[in-house]
Amino acid sequence: MPRDDIFPHVAASVLRDETLAIHAGYEPDPVTKSVAVPIYQTVAYAFDSAEHGAALFDLEVEGNIYTRLSNPTNAVLEKRVAALEGGVAALSVGSGAAAIHYALATLLEQGTNFVSVPQLYGATYTLFAHVFKKQGIEVRFAKSDRADDIAACIDHNTRAVYCESVGNPAGNIVDLAALAAVAHARGVPLIVDNTVATPILLKPIRYGADVVVHSATKFMGGHGTTMGGIIVDAGNFPWRAYPDKFAMLTQPEPAYHGVTYVEQYGRSAYAAHCRTVCLRNTGAVLPPLSAFLLLQGIETMALRVERHVENARRVATYLHDHPKVAWVSYAGFPDSAYHALAQKYLGGNAPSLLTFGVKGGYDAGRKTLNALNLFKRLVNMGDAKSLATHPASTTHRQLNEAELAQAGVKPEMIRLSVGIEHIDDILADLGQALDAA
Ligand code: PLP
């Protein structure tokens, strides 16, 4: 997808995030003049003739065929997120989990492996360690998120390196440029889950990421109403340089009319393969109404993220100084192991997802959790509302003790997704809950 396509009357690259988030990918529809993005609630699209239908299937002309392949509302979301991340194309899917699955399934087959950092969202860990394993695809968890530990795991069968730019819930900030360098030196792409950071705080493609995935369910939607996932193709990886490793993109694809993706789709070959092989045949399609709701969220994402980050800074300081709190993990503190990386990658900001432990361990932590009123106890993040989770008993429950330690999940750890309510009310709720512990 050329950049002109993202925002027709001005090059997207000169526009700021706040503007792209509101306009990229859509101009008022020339027929209806609708200023809001229409919800194309349709399954299929009429062919002008039998020949037109055949030409669409033969890829001789462009156009919509069936919503499992493409939909005009979803296309606006895809262009908007591609513009925000600085990619050439994107694919929207039904959830973040589907986005992660497709992003890897596109490149991996039985007998191949990929290398991952150990600090991952729980369901991502399970997908890698158990689901892919049953399909004959090996995940190699590096000892840490450091580039030398990642490099040590790459071999000739490796097809990708995977990380979360900011780990959930560990809060580790990955040195993306270093990871991209070791991946590229060994001829494999870097895939980055940028959900926690959001493209407002960090754009992984600038540091060498080849693919960016998101759970749009979180900060993009922003209101805890809508599931969705996005895969963004940076368009930079030289697939043609490794024709055997990436035969699915460089050789004719039997699953889709014998197309050779790098020839048919150029820089967006990878995104096109995700769409026409993974999405078309396994079907985790994003409902168009959900695409519309996610677009509504994205319009205010920059404003919300700014407030999330500021409120989290105040919460981290408050907890740090509270006599009942044993520890706080927050990259904004100068003594945090991730402070320097926050300066480099997050523009000096720290993520609004933070963790802490209460003195007295899990029992005291559980009492605190149970006493919260404004903070909702649940498993989600990036909502306008303040949210609290105990990862070890919920999102990461399936991990054993050693796996929990490797993923950076302490037994007593409470994870906060700090919302955008008034900060005084947020601090008052935390204060009364800690008093109750
Ligand atoms: N990636 C991260 C970092 C997450 O935290 C989550 C969910 O919490 C996902 C992916 C999965 O997204 P979804 O719940 O939209 O499937």
Side-chain angles (χ1 to χ4, degrees):
M1 183 175 61
R3 300 308 309 245
D4 294 358
D5 217 43
I6 290 175
F7 199 47
H9 62 265
V10 56
S13 52
V14 306
L15 295 172
R16 307 321 195 271
D17 285 345
E18 292 81 349
T19 313
L20 291 172
I22 294 174
H23 294 286
Y26 185 69
E27 287 281 277
D29 165 350
V31 179
T32 63
K33 311 288 183 192
S34 170
V35 173
V37 177
I39 303 166
Y40 286 92
Q41 190 68 29
T42 184
V43 168
Y45 307 84
F47 304 143
D48 298 338
S49 61
E51 292 74 21
H52 178 223
L56 282 164
F57 270 83
D58 280 348
L59 309 177
E60 283 165 8
V61 292
E62 276 190 28
N64 296 306
I65 295 175
Y66 193 67
T67 282
R68 179 154 35 74
L69 262 173
S70 61
N71 173 283
T73 311
N74 297 19
V76 177
L77 175 66
E78 288 159 0
K79 288 175 185 171
R80 196 159 294 178
V81 178
L84 285 165
E85 284 289 5
V88 294
L91 174 67
S92 58
V93 291
S95 67
I100 294 165
H101 187 201
Y102 287 4
L104 284 157
T106 293
L107 301 175
L108 291 151
E109 55 195 30
Q110 213 177 12
T112 61
N113 70 62
F114 65 103
V115 177
S116 175
V117 299
Q119 303 95 335
L120 294 172
Y121 164 59
T124 305
Y125 180 89
T126 310
L127 169 72
F128 290 3
H130 303 292
V131 180
F132 277 142
K133 189 176 172 193
K134 281 194 183 146
Q135 298 168 357
I137 293 166
E138 183 198 356
V139 58
R140 297 178 168 192
F141 288 114
K143 263 199 320 221
S144 78
D145 58 2
R146 284 181 28 196
D148 50 349
D149 285 331
I150 297 282
C153 297
I154 302 176
D155 71 6
H156 65 285
N157 270 334
T158 303
R159 296 292 180 267
V161 168
Y162 186 93
C163 71
E164 293 178 4
S165 48
V166 175
N168 171 19
N172 59 307
I173 299 173
V174 165
D175 189 347
L176 291 177
L179 255 60
V182 297
H184 295 166
R186 307 293 286 273
V188 292
L190 174 65
I191 302 178
V192 178
D193 181 337
N194 199 33
T195 301
V196 176
T198 80
I200 302 302
L201 294 181
L202 168 63
K203 296 189 194 299
I205 292 173
R206 287 193 185 155
Y207 301 99
D210 301 290
V211 175
V212 177
V213 292
H214 277 279
S215 166
T217 315
K218 307 296 185 315
F219 291 96
M220 289 197 175
H223 298 81
T225 63
T226 311
M227 302 288 305
I230 297 263
I231 303 166
V232 181
D233 184 349
N236 295 329
F237 193 81
W239 308 108
R240 286 171 197 270
Y242 309 99
D244 298 333
K245 254 195 230 181
F246 301 111
M248 68 294 286
L249 300 178
T250 61
Q251 317 285 326
E253 170 59 79
Y256 197 58
H257 311 287
V259 161
T260 301
Y261 281 83
V262 290
E263 277 162 25
Q264 181 80 27
Y265 296 99
R267 287 184 67 198
S268 44
Y270 168 86
H273 196 281
C274 287
R275 182 188 300 280
T276 54
V277 178
C278 282
L279 181 60
R280 181 178 184 236
N281 296 305
T282 68
V285 69
L286 181 72
L289 175 60
S290 298
F292 172 83
L293 292 168
L294 294 172
L295 282 163
Q296 295 297 292
I298 288 172
E299 289 196 5
T300 57
M301 179 167 57
L303 279 175
R304 284 184 286 103
V305 167
E306 195 180 310
R307 179 63 65 88
H308 280 295
V309 165
E310 173 55 17
N311 281 356
R313 188 184 65 76
R314 296 277 305 273
V315 165
T317 308
Y318 175 81
L319 291 174
H320 180 268
D321 296 342
H322 198 287
K324 288 199 172 175
V325 172
W327 58 268
V328 183
S329 173
Y330 175 66
F333 293 146
D335 61 352
S336 159
Y338 300 109
H339 189 256
L341 291 167
Q343 303 301 311
K344 176 169 178 186
Y345 290 108
L346 300 173
N349 296 297
S352 56
L353 198 72
L354 59 93
T355 55
F356 71 103
V358 178
K359 284 181 187 159
Y362 177 53
D363 279 345
R366 190 164 43 82
K367 284 190 191 139
T368 307
L369 203 58
N370 284 338
L372 289 167
N373 290 323
L374 188 69
F375 276 80
K376 299 298 166 237
R377 288 171 292 275
L378 46 62
V379 287
N380 192 18
M381 63 168 168
D383 193 322
K385 305 165 202 66
S386 287
L387 316 173
T389 303
H390 177 241
S393 65
T394 58
T395 52
H396 291 66
R397 192 182 188 95
Q398 293 194 49
L399 279 63
N400 63 34
E401 234 171 78
E403 290 170 329
L404 284 173
Q406 217 188 10
V409 181
K410 296 182 184 159
E412 78 278 17
M413 171 193 273
I414 294 174
R415 189 196 74 185
L416 298 181
S417 174
V418 180
I420 60 173
E421 301 95 338
H422 195 285
I423 187 62
D424 294 349
D425 298 329
I426 293 175
L427 297 181
D429 192 37
L430 285 169
Q432 65 79 26
L434 283 162
D435 285 347

